[in-house]
PDB file of all heavy atoms in Angstrom:
ATOM      1  N   LYS P 763      23.686  15.499  -2.073  1.00 97.00           N
ATOM      2  CA  LYS P 763      22.225  15.526  -2.094  1.00 97.00           C
ATOM      3  C   LYS P 763      21.678  14.297  -2.805  1.00 97.00           C
ATOM      4  O   LYS P 763      22.237  13.836  -3.805  1.00 97.00           O
ATOM      5  CB  LYS P 763      21.724  16.792  -2.771  1.00 97.00           C
ATOM      6  CG  LYS P 763      22.059  18.059  -1.985  1.00 97.00           C
ATOM      7  CD  LYS P 763      21.462  19.298  -2.629  1.00 97.00           C
ATOM      8  CE  LYS P 763      21.775  20.537  -1.790  1.00 97.00           C
ATOM      9  NZ  LYS P 763      21.177  21.763  -2.374  1.00 97.00           N
ATOM     10  N   LYS P 794      14.289  17.903  -2.840  1.00 95.00           N
ATOM     11  CA  LYS P 794      13.057  17.690  -3.615  1.00 95.00           C
ATOM     12  C   LYS P 794      13.240  18.078  -5.078  1.00 95.00           C
ATOM     13  O   LYS P 794      12.336  17.905  -5.885  1.00 95.00           O
ATOM     14  CB  LYS P 794      11.907  18.508  -3.011  1.00 95.00           C
ATOM     15  CG  LYS P 794      11.565  18.125  -1.580  1.00 95.00           C
ATOM     16  CD  LYS P 794      11.097  16.690  -1.464  1.00 95.00           C
ATOM     17  CE  LYS P 794      10.690  16.346  -0.032  1.00 95.00           C
ATOM     18  NZ  LYS P 794      10.290  14.921   0.104  1.00 95.00           N
ATOM     19  N   LYS P 835      25.217   9.670  -9.778  1.00 97.00           N
ATOM     20  CA  LYS P 835      25.011   8.231  -9.645  1.00 97.00           C
ATOM     21  C   LYS P 835      23.504   7.948  -9.696  1.00 97.00           C
ATOM     22  O   LYS P 835      22.710   8.659  -9.058  1.00 97.00           O
ATOM     23  CB  LYS P 835      25.591   7.705  -8.340  1.00 97.00           C
ATOM     24  CG  LYS P 835      27.101   7.925  -8.196  1.00 97.00           C
ATOM     25  CD  LYS P 835      27.881   7.217  -9.290  1.00 97.00           C
ATOM     26  CE  LYS P 835      29.380   7.455  -9.138  1.00 97.00           C
ATOM     27  NZ  LYS P 835      30.146   6.843 -10.254  1.00 97.00           N
ATOM     28  N   CYS P 841      10.650  -3.165  -6.962  1.00 94.00           N
ATOM     29  CA  CYS P 841      10.132  -4.418  -7.518  1.00 94.00           C
ATOM     30  C   CYS P 841      10.551  -4.658  -8.968  1.00 94.00           C
ATOM     31  O   CYS P 841      10.826  -5.794  -9.355  1.00 94.00           O
ATOM     32  CB  CYS P 841       8.611  -4.450  -7.388  1.00 94.00           C
ATOM     33  SG  CYS P 841       8.041  -4.620  -5.682  1.00 94.00           S
ATOM     34  N   VAL P 857      22.718   3.474 -15.657  1.00 97.00           N
ATOM     35  CA  VAL P 857      22.408   3.106 -14.270  1.00 97.00           C
ATOM     36  C   VAL P 857      23.661   2.545 -13.602  1.00 97.00           C
ATOM     37  O   VAL P 857      24.379   1.727 -14.173  1.00 97.00           O
ATOM     38  CB  VAL P 857      21.255   2.082 -14.220  1.00 97.00           C
ATOM     39  CG1 VAL P 857      21.127   1.468 -12.830  1.00 97.00           C
ATOM     40  CG2 VAL P 857      19.944   2.751 -14.628  1.00 97.00           C
ATOM     41  N   ARG P 875      30.602   1.554  -2.938  1.00 97.00           N
ATOM     42  CA  ARG P 875      31.193   0.843  -4.075  1.00 97.00           C
ATOM     43  C   ARG P 875      30.929   1.559  -5.403  1.00 97.00           C
ATOM     44  O   ARG P 875      31.818   1.677  -6.239  1.00 97.00           O
ATOM     45  CB  ARG P 875      30.679  -0.597  -4.108  1.00 97.00           C
ATOM     46  CG  ARG P 875      31.232  -1.458  -2.970  1.00 97.00           C
ATOM     47  CD  ARG P 875      30.550  -2.807  -2.901  1.00 97.00           C
ATOM     48  NE  ARG P 875      30.733  -3.570  -4.144  1.00 97.00           N
ATOM     49  CZ  ARG P 875      30.111  -4.718  -4.400  1.00 97.00           C
ATOM     50  NH1 ARG P 875      29.273  -5.233  -3.498  1.00 97.00           N
ATOM     51  NH2 ARG P 875      30.329  -5.353  -5.537  1.00 97.00           N
ATOM     52  N   PHE P 890      18.566  -9.837   2.824  1.00 79.00           N
ATOM     53  CA  PHE P 890      19.686  -9.310   3.600  1.00 79.00           C
ATOM     54  C   PHE P 890      19.150  -8.908   4.965  1.00 79.00           C
ATOM     55  O   PHE P 890      18.101  -8.288   5.071  1.00 79.00           O
ATOM     56  CB  PHE P 890      20.277  -8.099   2.874  1.00 79.00           C
ATOM     57  CG  PHE P 890      21.593  -7.626   3.388  1.00 79.00           C
ATOM     58  CD1 PHE P 890      22.778  -8.190   2.940  1.00 79.00           C
ATOM     59  CD2 PHE P 890      21.666  -6.591   4.317  1.00 79.00           C
ATOM     60  CE1 PHE P 890      24.006  -7.741   3.401  1.00 79.00           C
ATOM     61  CE2 PHE P 890      22.881  -6.131   4.787  1.00 79.00           C
ATOM     62  CZ  PHE P 890      24.058  -6.713   4.327  1.00 79.00           C
ATOM     63  N   THR P 918      -2.502 -16.057  -9.763  1.00 98.00           N
ATOM     64  CA  THR P 918      -1.987 -16.223 -11.124  1.00 98.00           C
ATOM     65  C   THR P 918      -1.704 -14.911 -11.844  1.00 98.00           C
ATOM     66  O   THR P 918      -0.982 -14.896 -12.840  1.00 98.00           O
ATOM     67  CB  THR P 918      -2.974 -17.055 -11.973  1.00 98.00           C
ATOM     68  OG1 THR P 918      -4.263 -16.418 -11.955  1.00 98.00           O
ATOM     69  CG2 THR P 918      -3.089 -18.468 -11.437  1.00 98.00           C
ATOM     70  N   ARG P 928       9.047 -14.802  -0.468  1.00 92.00           N
ATOM     71  CA  ARG P 928       8.104 -15.514   0.396  1.00 92.00           C
ATOM     72  C   ARG P 928       7.824 -14.715   1.665  1.00 92.00           C
ATOM     73  O   ARG P 928       8.607 -13.848   2.069  1.00 92.00           O
ATOM     74  CB  ARG P 928       8.665 -16.888   0.760  1.00 92.00           C
ATOM     75  CG  ARG P 928       8.869 -17.822  -0.440  1.00 92.00           C
ATOM     76  CD  ARG P 928       7.556 -18.113  -1.150  1.00 92.00           C
ATOM     77  NE  ARG P 928       7.703 -19.040  -2.240  1.00 92.00           N
ATOM     78  CZ  ARG P 928       7.546 -20.361  -2.129  1.00 92.00           C
ATOM     79  NH1 ARG P 928       7.252 -20.894  -0.962  1.00 92.00           N
ATOM     80  NH2 ARG P 928       7.684 -21.136  -3.184  1.00 92.00           N
ATOM     81  N   ILE P 952      -0.756   4.891  13.293  1.00 98.00           N
ATOM     82  CA  ILE P 952       0.231   3.897  12.879  1.00 98.00           C
ATOM     83  C   ILE P 952      -0.463   2.890  11.971  1.00 98.00           C
ATOM     84  O   ILE P 952      -1.460   2.270  12.377  1.00 98.00           O
ATOM     85  CB  ILE P 952       0.824   3.149  14.093  1.00 98.00           C
ATOM     86  CG1 ILE P 952       1.325   4.134  15.158  1.00 98.00           C
ATOM     87  CG2 ILE P 952       1.910   2.180  13.644  1.00 98.00           C
ATOM     88  CD1 ILE P 952       2.446   5.013  14.727  1.00 98.00           C
ATOM     89  N   LEU P 974       0.120  -9.054  18.475  1.00 98.00           N
ATOM     90  CA  LEU P 974       0.840  -7.810  18.216  1.00 98.00           C
ATOM     91  C   LEU P 974      -0.063  -6.600  18.434  1.00 98.00           C
ATOM     92  O   LEU P 974       0.336  -5.609  19.071  1.00 98.00           O
ATOM     93  CB  LEU P 974       1.386  -7.811  16.783  1.00 98.00           C
ATOM     94  CG  LEU P 974       2.055  -6.515  16.317  1.00 98.00           C
ATOM     95  CD1 LEU P 974       3.281  -6.183  17.168  1.00 98.00           C
ATOM     96  CD2 LEU P 974       2.443  -6.599  14.839  1.00 98.00           C
ATOM     97  N   GLU P1013     -11.684   0.562  13.242  1.00 98.00           N
ATOM     98  CA  GLU P1013     -12.719  -0.309  12.681  1.00 98.00           C
ATOM     99  C   GLU P1013     -12.627  -0.275  11.155  1.00 98.00           C
ATOM    100  O   GLU P1013     -13.446   0.356  10.478  1.00 98.00           O
ATOM    101  CB  GLU P1013     -14.107   0.157  13.148  1.00 98.00           C
ATOM    102  CG  GLU P1013     -14.319   0.090  14.648  1.00 98.00           C
ATOM    103  CD  GLU P1013     -13.733   1.276  15.407  1.00 98.00           C
ATOM    104  OE1 GLU P1013     -13.294   2.242  14.761  1.00 98.00           O
ATOM    105  OE2 GLU P1013     -13.714   1.228  16.642  1.00 98.00           O
ATOM    106  N   SER P1021     -12.629 -10.638  -7.693  1.00 98.00           N
ATOM    107  CA  SER P1021     -13.717 -11.002  -8.608  1.00 98.00           C
ATOM    108  C   SER P1021     -14.890 -11.547  -7.799  1.00 98.00           C
ATOM    109  O   SER P1021     -14.697 -12.129  -6.728  1.00 98.00           O
ATOM    110  CB  SER P1021     -13.251 -12.054  -9.612  1.00 98.00           C
ATOM    111  OG  SER P1021     -14.350 -12.508 -10.406  1.00 98.00           O
ATOM    112  N   LYS P1028     -11.229 -19.059  -8.989  1.00 98.00           N
ATOM    113  CA  LYS P1028     -10.435 -20.286  -9.086  1.00 98.00           C
ATOM    114  C   LYS P1028      -9.306 -20.112 -10.100  1.00 98.00           C
ATOM    115  O   LYS P1028      -8.172 -20.551  -9.868  1.00 98.00           O
ATOM    116  CB  LYS P1028     -11.342 -21.457  -9.485  1.00 98.00           C
ATOM    117  CG  LYS P1028     -10.667 -22.803  -9.379  1.00 98.00           C
ATOM    118  CD  LYS P1028     -11.662 -23.932  -9.582  1.00 98.00           C
ATOM    119  CE  LYS P1028     -10.976 -25.292  -9.419  1.00 98.00           C
ATOM    120  NZ  LYS P1028     -11.944 -26.408  -9.588  1.00 98.00           N
ATOM    121  N   TYR P1034     -10.698 -18.950  -1.829  1.00 98.00           N
ATOM    122  CA  TYR P1034     -12.035 -18.764  -1.274  1.00 98.00           C
ATOM    123  C   TYR P1034     -12.999 -18.644  -2.432  1.00 98.00           C
ATOM    124  O   TYR P1034     -12.597 -18.437  -3.586  1.00 98.00           O
ATOM    125  CB  TYR P1034     -12.094 -17.504  -0.389  1.00 98.00           C
ATOM    126  CG  TYR P1034     -11.630 -16.260  -1.109  1.00 98.00           C
ATOM    127  CD1 TYR P1034     -12.497 -15.488  -1.875  1.00 98.00           C
ATOM    128  CD2 TYR P1034     -10.298 -15.868  -1.046  1.00 98.00           C
ATOM    129  CE1 TYR P1034     -12.057 -14.381  -2.570  1.00 98.00           C
ATOM    130  CE2 TYR P1034      -9.839 -14.754  -1.735  1.00 98.00           C
ATOM    131  CZ  TYR P1034     -10.723 -14.016  -2.495  1.00 98.00           C
ATOM    132  OH  TYR P1034     -10.277 -12.921  -3.183  1.00 98.00           O
ATOM    133  N   PRO P1093      -1.109  -7.759 -17.816  1.00 95.00           N
ATOM    134  CA  PRO P1093      -0.236  -8.949 -17.781  1.00 95.00           C
ATOM    135  C   PRO P1093       1.118  -8.634 -17.162  1.00 95.00           C
ATOM    136  O   PRO P1093       1.731  -7.615 -17.494  1.00 95.00           O
ATOM    137  CB  PRO P1093      -0.069  -9.307 -19.270  1.00 95.00           C
ATOM    138  CG  PRO P1093      -1.166  -8.593 -19.977  1.00 95.00           C
ATOM    139  CD  PRO P1093      -1.451  -7.366 -19.183  1.00 95.00           C
ATOM    140  N   LYS P1095       4.877 -10.156 -16.638  1.00 90.00           N
ATOM    141  CA  LYS P1095       5.834 -11.159 -17.089  1.00 90.00           C
ATOM    142  C   LYS P1095       6.252 -12.067 -15.931  1.00 90.00           C
ATOM    143  O   LYS P1095       6.613 -11.604 -14.863  1.00 90.00           O
ATOM    144  CB  LYS P1095       7.063 -10.443 -17.658  1.00 90.00           C
ATOM    145  CG  LYS P1095       8.137 -11.353 -18.203  1.00 90.00           C
ATOM    146  CD  LYS P1095       9.281 -10.551 -18.816  1.00 90.00           C
ATOM    147  CE  LYS P1095       9.995  -9.709 -17.784  1.00 90.00           C
ATOM    148  NZ  LYS P1095      11.146  -8.975 -18.348  1.00 90.00           N
ATOM    149  N   ARG P1137     -24.503  11.831  12.344  1.00 98.00           N
ATOM    150  CA  ARG P1137     -23.713  11.181  13.392  1.00 98.00           C
ATOM    151  C   ARG P1137     -22.603  12.096  13.886  1.00 98.00           C
ATOM    152  O   ARG P1137     -22.121  12.967  13.166  1.00 98.00           O
ATOM    153  CB  ARG P1137     -23.100   9.877  12.857  1.00 98.00           C
ATOM    154  CG  ARG P1137     -24.099   8.809  12.441  1.00 98.00           C
ATOM    155  CD  ARG P1137     -24.571   8.000  13.639  1.00 98.00           C
ATOM    156  NE  ARG P1137     -23.442   7.425  14.365  1.00 98.00           N
ATOM    157  CZ  ARG P1137     -22.830   6.271  14.017  1.00 98.00           C
ATOM    158  NH1 ARG P1137     -23.246   5.594  12.953  1.00 98.00           N
ATOM    159  NH2 ARG P1137     -21.829   5.804  14.742  1.00 98.00           N
ATOM    160  N   LYS P1150     -11.240  27.135  -2.773  1.00 79.00           N
ATOM    161  CA  LYS P1150     -12.214  28.022  -3.427  1.00 79.00           C
ATOM    162  C   LYS P1150     -12.603  29.195  -2.526  1.00 79.00           C
ATOM    163  O   LYS P1150     -13.781  29.539  -2.382  1.00 79.00           O
ATOM    164  CB  LYS P1150     -13.457  27.221  -3.852  1.00 79.00           C
ATOM    165  CG  LYS P1150     -13.167  26.174  -4.911  1.00 79.00           C
ATOM    166  CD  LYS P1150     -14.428  25.424  -5.317  1.00 79.00           C
ATOM    167  CE  LYS P1150     -14.129  24.379  -6.386  1.00 79.00           C
ATOM    168  NZ  LYS P1150     -15.330  23.607  -6.789  1.00 79.00           N
ATOM    169  N   LEU P1173      -5.662  22.918  12.533  1.00 97.00           N
ATOM    170  CA  LEU P1173      -5.728  22.015  13.691  1.00 97.00           C
ATOM    171  C   LEU P1173      -5.131  20.647  13.367  1.00 97.00           C
ATOM    172  O   LEU P1173      -5.479  19.638  13.982  1.00 97.00           O
ATOM    173  CB  LEU P1173      -7.185  21.860  14.145  1.00 97.00           C
ATOM    174  CG  LEU P1173      -7.897  23.157  14.540  1.00 97.00           C
ATOM    175  CD1 LEU P1173      -9.363  22.883  14.888  1.00 97.00           C
ATOM    176  CD2 LEU P1173      -7.190  23.828  15.713  1.00 97.00           C
ATOM    177  N   PHE P1177      -7.357  15.500  17.486  1.00 98.00           N
ATOM    178  CA  PHE P1177      -8.552  14.659  17.424  1.00 98.00           C
ATOM    179  C   PHE P1177      -9.750  15.529  17.774  1.00 98.00           C
ATOM    180  O   PHE P1177      -9.793  16.148  18.841  1.00 98.00           O
ATOM    181  CB  PHE P1177      -8.455  13.497  18.417  1.00 98.00           C
ATOM    182  CG  PHE P1177      -7.422  12.461  18.062  1.00 98.00           C
ATOM    183  CD1 PHE P1177      -6.118  12.569  18.545  1.00 98.00           C
ATOM    184  CD2 PHE P1177      -7.750  11.381  17.259  1.00 98.00           C
ATOM    185  CE1 PHE P1177      -5.166  11.615  18.227  1.00 98.00           C
ATOM    186  CE2 PHE P1177      -6.794  10.418  16.935  1.00 98.00           C
ATOM    187  CZ  PHE P1177      -5.498  10.542  17.418  1.00 98.00           C
TER     188      PHE P1177
END
Side-chain angles (χ1 to χ4, degrees):
K763 294 184 178 181
K794 298 298 183 183
K835 300 299 180 184
C841 290
V857 168
R875 290 171 60 188
F890 192 86
T918 56
R928 297 299 183 93
I952 309 296
L974 174 62
E1013 297 81 8
S1021 174
K1028 190 172 182 179
Y1034 55 87
K1095 182 177 64 177
R1137 297 277 305 277
K1150 295 181 180 179
L1173 301 176
F1177 291 91

